[in-house]
Amino acid sequence: MPHRPYVIDRMISAKRIAARVEALAHEITAAFAGTDKLVVVGLLRGSFIFIADLVREIDLPVEVDFIEASSYGDTMTSSREVRILKDLRSGIEGRDVLVVEDIVDTGHTLFHVLNMLKARKPKRLEVCALLDKPSRREVPVKAKWTGFEIPDEFVVGYGIDFAQRNRNLPHIGKVRFTA
Ligand code: IMP
Ligand code: MG
C-alpha cells in the first residue's frame, strides 16, 4: 500500500554524525580498556551503518554479532510486543558486551533485549544508542552512551528506515507529510 506523500527535512548532517560517532568510540574505548574482547551487538536492521562506523573507531579487540528484534513492522506506531527473529551466534557469559541500537523510542525493544542478555550473565552489559527520544519513553531504559537526543519526530537515514526506505541516506532527516 503506498504511503502518503512526504519529504525529508535534514536534521543531523553526515559530518555531525561522523564527529559524534568518533567521540562515542573514544569514550567506549576508554571505558572498556583492558578487555580481552568486546562483543559489540548490533540490533538489526537500523543499527547496521552506525555499528559499521562505530567499530572502526573503537581501538580494542572487537567481535561483532547481531540480534534482530521485531518492533515497528512497516508502520510508524510502536508495538509493545517484542519478538527475537535472530539471536546471537556466540555466548556472552563472562564477556564485555556493548549493545548498539539506532533509536531508543518507547524503550520496549531495548528493555526486552537487555533482559534477555542479562540472563546470560555477561561480565558487563552497556548500551550505545545513536538517537534517543526521551519524551516517548514507556519503560525505564537508558543507554550509557547516546549520540543525539531528539524530539518526538519520525526520522530516517543513516540506517534508519520508514517502511524499508531511506536507510541509505547519509544524513538523518525527519519525515514531513505533504498531504
Ligand atoms: P522502541 O521499542 O519503541 O524503543 O522502538 C525502537 C525501535 O523502533 C528502533 O530501534 C527503531 O527501529 C524504531 N523506531 C523508533 N523511532 C523511529 C523513527 O523515528 N524512525 C524509524 N524507526 C524508528
Ligand atoms: Mg531498531
Side-chain angles (χ1 to χ4, degrees), residues 7-164:
V7 294
I8 297 166
D9 297 327
R10 187 174 309 232
M11 192 172 168
I12 309 172
S13 70
K15 216 172 155 178
R16 269 183 76 202
I17 298 170
R20 188 70 188 118
V21 170
E22 197 185 331
L24 290 169
H26 289 163
E27 288 182 28
I28 290 163
T29 300
F32 287 98
T35 185
D36 60 322
K37 188 174 69 178
L38 177 63
V39 184
V40 183
V41 174
L43 298 198
L44 292 172
R45 287 172 256 176
S47 71
F48 82 106
I49 293 180
F50 180 39
I51 196 175
D53 283 347
L54 189 70
V55 293
R56 282 181 287 179
E57 302 282 350
I58 294 177
D59 190 15
L60 296 170
V62 152
E63 175 176 343
V64 176
D65 206 339
F66 293 96
I67 287 177
E68 185 171 11
S70 73
S71 56
Y72 263 51
D74 274 353
T75 74
M76 292 168 87
T77 41
S78 178
S79 72
R80 281 162 189 83
E81 190 194 328
V82 179
R83 280 182 309 143
I84 301 299
L85 304 178
K86 184 219 169 294
D87 204 342
L88 295 176
R89 291 290 292 270
S90 306
I92 55 164
E93 183 170 350
R95 315 231 61 128
D96 291 316
V97 177
L98 178 70
V99 173
V100 175
E101 172 63 310
D102 56 354
I103 309 181
V104 187
D105 186 36
T106 64
H108 287 284
T109 307
L110 199 53
F111 188 77
H112 183 91
V113 167
L114 289 178
N115 281 341
M116 181 181 92
L117 296 181
K118 266 178 219 157
R120 299 177 191 177
K121 308 225 167 5
K123 183 166 114 203
R124 189 165 166 197
L125 181 63
E126 307 284 10
V127 177
C128 179
L130 178 66
L131 303 175
D132 188 2
K133 296 190 211 171
S135 66
R136 297 255 311 155
R137 201 73 88 256
E138 292 176 9
V139 287
V141 284
K142 180 122 185 74
K144 182 169 176 74
W145 293 282
T146 297
F148 304 91
E149 274 196 11
I150 59 168
D152 183 8
E153 303 276 2
F154 199 84
V155 296
V156 293
Y158 196 68
I160 301 164
D161 73 303
F162 174 29
Q164 300 308 328

